[in-house]
């Protein structure tokens, strides 16, 4: 339970802090979406927000997460073109995620997963849209994972533990992909997936990694089957396995 809960009673939550956490979540969601959008469209990560259609800079007052979307009725104030609905989904999803993290995790884990989830969501989005896993995000997740596990005392044994966990996740996908290649003649996973699971593994335990991997496989299979039912013409279906890994890893701490 979060140390911020007064006497650990859910009905005695300090709602001011909860509203703050909710707001923080909306900002994180907005940032995460802008980060992914920047990678997908080859723009600078730190930039003034602009409309994807008319390219005009969005006013500061129109950058308030959730409220701005509702106030502007999901349209750009300059050209009146629709703003992507997924921006609102990101903001609402992160707000809810942060609140649940805050209620179920202690402060240290809350901070760790609040930060990691931003970069997992970026990879979720880039892999979903472009089948691309960004190296910057992988490095950020690794840094956060190591800092939160070693802080405030540097223990070199932890580095070895993390290296073994990384190898475990990396090899898990590498071996399955290699076997798949031997039998089918094609790669079963994307080249970035083994690096992603390797990095994700440093956040969790060996058992967690297996659960996350298997859950992602089940989600992937279900989505694959549904896609093929509705689109029988697809000959070589490529699914964003990295997105499934990121989604499961984000919600795993609260399951
Ligand atoms: Zn516009």
């Amino acid at each position: 339970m979060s140390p911020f809960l007064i006497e650990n009673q859910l009905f005695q939550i300090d709602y001011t802090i909860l509203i703050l956490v909710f707001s923080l979540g909306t900002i994180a969601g907005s940032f995460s979406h802008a980060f992914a959008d920047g990678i997908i469209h080859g723009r600078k990560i730190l930039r003034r927000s602009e409309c994807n259609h008319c390219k005009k800079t969005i006013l500061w007052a129109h950058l308030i997460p959730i409220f701005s979307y509702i106030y502007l009725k999901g349209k750009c104030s300059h050209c009146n073109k629709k703003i992507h609905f997924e921006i609102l989904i990101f903001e609402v999803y992160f707000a809810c995620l942060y609140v649940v993290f805050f209620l179920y995790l202690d402060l240290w884990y809350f901070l760790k997963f609040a930060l990691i989830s931003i970069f997992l969501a970026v990879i979720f989005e880039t892999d979903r849209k472009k089948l691309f896993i960004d190296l910057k995000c992988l490095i950020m997740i690794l840094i956060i994972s190591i800092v939160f596990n070693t802080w405030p005392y540097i223990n070199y044994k932890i580095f070895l533990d993390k290296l073994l966990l990384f190898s475990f996740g990396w090899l898990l996908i590498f071996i399955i992909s290699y076997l798949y290649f031997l039998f089918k003649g094609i790669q079963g996973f994307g080249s970035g997936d083994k690096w992603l699971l390797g990095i994700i593994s440093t956040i969790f335990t060996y058992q967690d990694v297996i659960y996350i991997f298997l859950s992602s496989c089940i989600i992937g299979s279900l989505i694959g089957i549904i896609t093929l039912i509705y689109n029988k013409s697809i000959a070589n279906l490529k699914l964003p396995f990295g997105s499934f890994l990121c989604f499961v890893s984000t919600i795993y701490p609260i399951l």
Side-chain angles (χ1 to χ4, degrees), residues 3-26:
F4 283 90
L5 295 184
I6 300 163
E7 294 172 11
N8 283 349
Q9 298 293 315
L10 272 173
F11 54 86
Q12 284 183 313
I13 295 166
D14 186 339
Y15 286 101
T16 320
I17 294 177
L18 217 53
I19 291 167
L20 201 72
V21 172
F22 184 90
S23 310
L24 206 67
T26 61

Side-chain angles (χ1 to χ4, degrees), residues 81-98:
K81 286 261 170 62
K82 276 198 170 182
I83 303 169
H84 258 302
F85 186 61
E86 63 192 31
I87 296 175
L88 182 67
I89 295 175
F90 256 68
E91 291 168 353
V92 173
Y93 170 75
F94 263 88
C96 298
L97 187 74
Y98 273 32

Side-chain angles (χ1 to χ4, degrees), residues 51 53-54 76 78-79:
C51 168
H53 301 285
C54 64
C76 167
H78 300 291
C79 67

